[in-house]
Amino acid sequence: MFNHFTVVDWNAGNDTGPRPKKDAIWIGEAGQAPRYHRNRISAEDALTARIESALVRGERMMIGFDFPFSYPRRFIETITGHPDPFSFWAYLEQHIEDGPKSNNRFDLAGRLNQVTGGRGPFWGNGLKRDIPGLPRTQTGYHNPFPDRRTCEVAAKGTFTVWQMSGAGSVGSQVFMGLPVLERIRQRFARQIAVWPFEPLDKPIALVEIWPGLINPAVRAATGPDDIRDAVQVKMLAGALANLAPARLHAMLDVEAPLEGSILGLGYEQELEAAVSLKPPPLRNDCFALPPGVNWTPVDDALDMLKNRLSCVVEPENAPLGDAMGRVLSEDVTACRSNPPTPNTAVDGYGFAAASLPEGDAILPLVDGRSAAGAPYAGTVPSGSAVRVLTGAALPDGVDTVVLDEDSTVLDGHVAFRGSIKPGANTRKAGEDAKAGETVLPKGQQITPAGLALAASVGCATLPVFRPLRVAVLSTGDEVVEPGSPAEPGQIFDANRPMLLGMIRRFGFEAVDMGRVPDDRPALRQRLDEAAQQADMILTSGGASAGDEDHVSALLQEAGAMQEWRIALKPGRPLALGLWNGAPVFGLPGNPVAAFVCTLIFARPAMGVLAGQDWRAPQGFDVPAAFSKNKKPGRREYLRARVRDGRAEVFKSEGSGRISGLNWGEGLVELGDEARNIATGDLVRFIPYGSFGL
Ligand code: AMP
Ligand code: MG
């Protein structure tokens, strides 16, 4: 598995100057702005630095170059005496003279023509002066070698490696590219493998690619002011990064002819689909509640979110070190078993259980020991024992271990009581996880324990979804920024920091969209920006049906507004809808109601959008430290905490009491029906942590 993909659009010409332009060198990585290089020296430096940083960080990186890595049959052997393509890489590295202002590629092509007969295989001279042996055109030209490699016959629109000049010719690119690759290959000799000539078992892989494979997607994405080379390196890198590892594997699996190949050839449509792995958009009516119901029960509303929302984020790969809190986009299978070999769970002495005598045992000890990471190399003879330390692989001939504390060692022998069970104090290979088995399921949010599990079975990269981006904005003329001077009628914006903090705790990306006054055009514009920058929008305030409730009014205007009247306390009507395709949760302005509605509704909705499995927050029943008469017909959530095994609730249920939110460590959930709670009765307590806070 690779966790970084870089694609390079090469150039054989001279320095192209400081300003980014086409027909220069462009280097693209998924999700990053493409980088311009005016000449090959700059590009070689950048690639070297990039590889170094990948190696330091333990990343696996694939770098694609848009020029052939080899030649049609017989050519290389004719020149170097070896069929091995690397022999010609080294030949070019020796013979190409390269400078920012000029290079000798045409002269070298002419010389090679003279070696192989004089009227080919190379043709095309980009210089004014004539070059001995190099025809300017194909008139009178003779190519003693095949015109194309097998892959070029299959790839429509490719140029031949023999054409040295003219638009799109790759012959020059190969001459000016392979020397650079050869130097990089030598410099990182043990850490680079070249496809398809070598198995890709090194951290860095060099592959041949061709942007022509995704031509329609590139053409569609290139605007009149865009530089096509820049667009295509980024898109191709993105497509490679988006591919499921198994699919990339399939594409890499080619016969390894010495001619090389083009990665993705034959998989054009799949590659193109991977350019933008856009999940399907949400339906406009996804928030519609059943008609004719005055106050919808909480569970009905939740069922709706669960059934009508879907994942809106694209999959990608993340190195283990960046995967904390991310959501798995695929099942993760163990690359190898844990433990990989049977080993000992304790410090002690190992032997074969079948070789023990009846009753107490005294066994001779072999020389040496087995320690973690330093196994005993030999076989322990039947009837003998060996010193073993916790975590050490069991040597051949050992299946059972006796603890230090249960044994005595004297004169090269170990003595212990009989009745020890075969296999005692050992761990079986794969008893924790077996190679190939699913260890972490798709949809799970990665926890520290999940990281440990993935690491233990050898996963350096995890398939995850891009983090969900959630925008937060506050509305209301009365709301001002904490720290700024406030008139008596003004209040500080408490909801925004609260909501931003909640989103971060849930593991999502919080996008702060600031405050907007009660002004419709301003709010409209801010919603436009939020929908651009985020996958979902949380607003607070202005969600009811009053004159100054502009969130609901705007959603109404957009034709996608659903007023949610949920049988819930604390709660006020919520305004739900889609704004330019992004789901909007219009929360009440009241901080307590905004907090509870976020935990109960927005949080599970975010989970679905982010690709998570649906999981109801888990509570537990504890005796109440309070008494209360609860009315029927709505669910209630009280700010609560557990002390001495009993649930305490905050002294006031007032929905403006932010102090109660902070005092609480969870919510007491009281069902929809009426209830008369006496001190000591069991009530359901759900800790904030169970909501993901
Ligand atoms: P609204 O939903 O806009 O009618 O607001 C309901 C109550 O919440 C009013 O008392 C508002 O002043 C208050 N409120 C609205 N937004 C915020 C905020 N960002 N921070 C604190 N209180 C707010
Ligand atoms: Mg308001």
Side-chain angles (χ1 to χ4, degrees):
M1 273 239 265
F2 293 90
N3 36 32
H4 284 275
F5 295 85
T6 300
V7 168
V8 184
D9 191 315
W10 202 247
N11 174 37
N14 296 338
D15 189 293
T16 43
R19 287 252 314 278
K21 39 171 89 62
K22 71 188 185 82
D23 296 329
I25 299 174
W26 284 92
I27 302 185
E29 275 195 53
Q32 289 184 18
R35 281 178 305 265
Y36 166 78
H37 292 278
R38 57 188 288 178
N39 60 45
R40 285 176 292 281
I41 300 168
S42 155
E44 184 172 345
D45 286 349
L47 286 167
T48 304
R50 184 65 189 87
I51 291 171
E52 254 156 17
S53 89
L55 292 174
V56 166
R57 283 182 280 167
E59 295 167 358
R60 300 205 66 208
M61 182 163 69
M62 173 176 281
I63 313 179
F65 293 86
D66 71 332
F67 53 81
F69 283 6
S70 189
Y71 283 81
R73 273 168 292 123
R74 298 195 321 273
F75 171 73
I76 288 179
E77 199 169 357
T78 306
I79 303 300
T80 68
H82 301 276
D84 176 6
F86 294 134
S87 67
F88 195 66
W89 289 34
Y91 176 92
L92 283 177
E93 207 282 316
Q94 260 174 38
H95 291 88
I96 282 289
E97 290 156 22
D98 194 3
K101 293 266 187 276
S102 68
N103 61 66
N104 68 340
R105 66 187 194 273
F106 297 111
D107 298 280
L108 184 63
R111 280 216 303 281
L112 287 170
N113 275 359
Q114 285 170 330
V115 170
T116 59
R119 285 187 293 137
F122 295 102
W123 68 275
N125 175 359
L127 303 180
K128 287 210 178 69
R129 68 178 160 89
D130 286 336
I131 290 178
L134 187 64
R136 287 196 180 268
T137 66
Q138 281 181 288
T139 327
Y141 159 83
H142 171 74
N143 183 0
F145 305 100
D147 241 6
R148 289 171 184 273
R149 300 180 296 155
T150 310
C151 60
E152 285 154 2
V153 175
K156 299 268 171 302
T158 46
F159 287 73
T160 74
V161 291
W162 311 120
Q163 185 181 340
M164 295 298 293
S165 76
S169 59
V170 293
S172 285
Q173 313 250 358
V174 185
F175 272 32
M176 304 316 297
L178 288 182
V180 173
L181 297 199
E182 175 63 12
R183 280 193 292 278
I184 289 178
R185 202 171 80 88
Q186 294 302 337
R187 182 183 185 119
F188 301 103
R190 272 188 296 277
Q191 283 135 326
I192 285 192
V194 181
W195 178 83
F197 315 127
E198 299 174 308
L200 298 189
D201 53 4
K202 307 275 163 44
I204 309 296
L206 307 186
V207 302
E208 177 185 336
I209 46 96
W210 182 50
L213 293 183
I214 59 163
N215 207 15
V218 171
R219 203 181 311 132
T222 310
D225 300 330
D226 290 331
I227 296 173
R228 187 196 171 96
D229 310 19
V231 173
Q232 69 190 18
V233 289
K234 180 180 170 178
M235 282 181 92
L236 197 46
L240 293 174
N242 282 341
L243 286 173
R247 300 312 303 152
L248 179 61
H249 215 263
M251 295 183 190
L252 286 167
D253 184 21
V254 293
E255 292 284 301
L258 297 171
E259 286 188 334
S261 190
I262 297 168
L263 180 60
L265 185 62
Y267 295 89
E268 288 82 353
Q269 275 173 8
E270 205 174 315
L271 208 52
E272 200 158 330
V275 167
S276 60
L277 280 186
K278 274 268 168 277
L282 299 173
R283 290 171 52 111
N284 235 348
D285 61 354
C286 63
F287 295 122
L289 287 179
V293 182
N294 231 345
W295 291 95
T296 307
V298 172
D299 286 340
D300 292 6
L302 287 176
D303 270 351
M304 225 209 47
L305 293 179
K306 179 177 171 180
N307 296 328
R308 299 221 204 113
L309 296 181
S310 53
C311 175
V312 297
V313 284
E314 308 83 32
E316 61 186 26
N317 292 314
L320 200 61
D322 296 341
M324 179 59 202
R326 305 288 293 276
V327 180
L328 288 171
S329 60
E330 286 177 55
D331 286 348
V332 174
T333 51
C335 299
R336 91 168 177 169
S337 297
N338 183 43
T341 60
N343 65 62
T344 170
V346 299
D347 288 351
Y349 298 89
F351 48 85
S355 72
L356 289 185
E358 288 285 310
D360 297 348
I362 301 179
L363 307 182
L365 282 171
V366 299
D367 279 344
R369 60 173 205 173
S370 195
Y376 179 80
T379 299
V380 176
S382 175
S384 293
V386 63
R387 176 71 174 146
V388 293
L389 298 175
T390 306
L394 295 185
D396 286 343
V398 172
D399 60 17
T400 305
V401 172
V402 60
L403 267 169
D404 269 355
E405 292 87 324
D406 296 339
S407 56
T408 320
V409 173
L410 196 68
D411 282 343
H413 286 70
V414 58
F416 51 93
R417 297 223 169 273
S419 78
I420 190 161
K421 277 213 206 95
N425 298 314
T426 65
R427 306 167 179 143
K428 290 183 199 54
E431 72 174 23
D432 189 22
K434 285 194 184 52
E437 199 171 75
T438 295
V439 286
L440 293 161
K442 172 176 194 250
Q444 181 172 318
Q445 191 169 25
I446 302 282
T447 63
L451 289 178
L453 182 54
S456 72
V457 295
C459 301
T461 325
L462 292 175
V464 294
F465 289 110
R466 154 175 86 66
L468 186 78
R469 294 176 305 230
V470 185
V472 174
L473 65 93
S474 294
T475 70
D477 284 340
E478 77 281 27
V479 183
V480 296
E481 204 64 18
S484 63
E487 304 289 321
Q490 293 182 315
I491 58 165
F492 295 118
D493 185 357
N495 288 343
R496 210 166 90 246
M498 173 179 81
L499 294 171
L500 290 167
M502 291 173 94
I503 290 160
R504 291 188 188 113
R505 281 293 267 261
F506 298 149
F508 307 130
E509 224 171 272
V511 183
D512 186 355
M513 298 304 299
R515 282 172 300 106
V516 198
D518 287 320
D519 169 68
R520 221 164 278 190
L523 183 58
R524 186 182 289 120
Q525 184 175 348
R526 200 68 63 89
L527 285 172
D528 283 347
E529 290 163 12
Q532 279 270 327
Q533 295 175 35
D535 306 299
M536 179 185 186
I537 304 168
L538 297 187
T539 67
S540 72
S544 302
D547 291 348
E548 296 297 337
D549 288 323
H550 300 288
V551 174
S552 47
L554 279 174
L555 286 174
Q556 202 98 50
E557 245 178 61
M561 152 83 178
Q562 303 289 336
E563 188 190 31
W564 270 32
R565 293 154 67 85
I566 310 293
L568 168 77
K569 185 186 171 191
R572 302 257 312 157
L574 304 180
L576 271 67
L578 295 185
W579 190 268
N580 298 343
V584 181
F585 269 63
L587 299 164
N590 220 300
V592 175
F595 182 88
V596 171
C597 288
T598 300
L599 288 188
I600 304 301
F601 298 116
R603 153 70 225 186
M606 288 181 215
V608 178
L609 299 175
Q612 278 176 21
D613 278 344
W614 184 273
R615 191 158 45 109
Q618 299 298 303
F620 45 90
D621 291 343
V622 285
F626 62 96
S627 61
K628 178 181 164 71
N629 215 343
K630 183 197 162 287
K631 292 203 203 90
R634 68 176 182 202
R635 185 165 303 181
E636 290 192 22
Y637 289 97
L638 311 175
R639 276 69 71 207
R641 62 187 197 185
V642 174
R643 290 290 182 273
D644 301 325
R646 301 192 327 158
E648 303 176 347
V649 295
F650 191 59
K651 58 183 192 272
S652 157
E653 290 181 19
S655 67
R657 302 288 282 266
I658 305 175
S659 51
L661 287 179
N662 184 57
W663 173 93
E665 295 165 5
L667 300 175
V668 157
E669 180 183 59
L670 303 176
D672 299 352
E673 64 289 351
R675 232 189 121 177
N676 216 334
I677 299 155
T679 308
D681 287 355
L682 291 183
V683 289
R684 173 63 51 91
F685 176 77
I686 310 174
Y688 286 156
S690 185
F691 292 99
L693 272 192

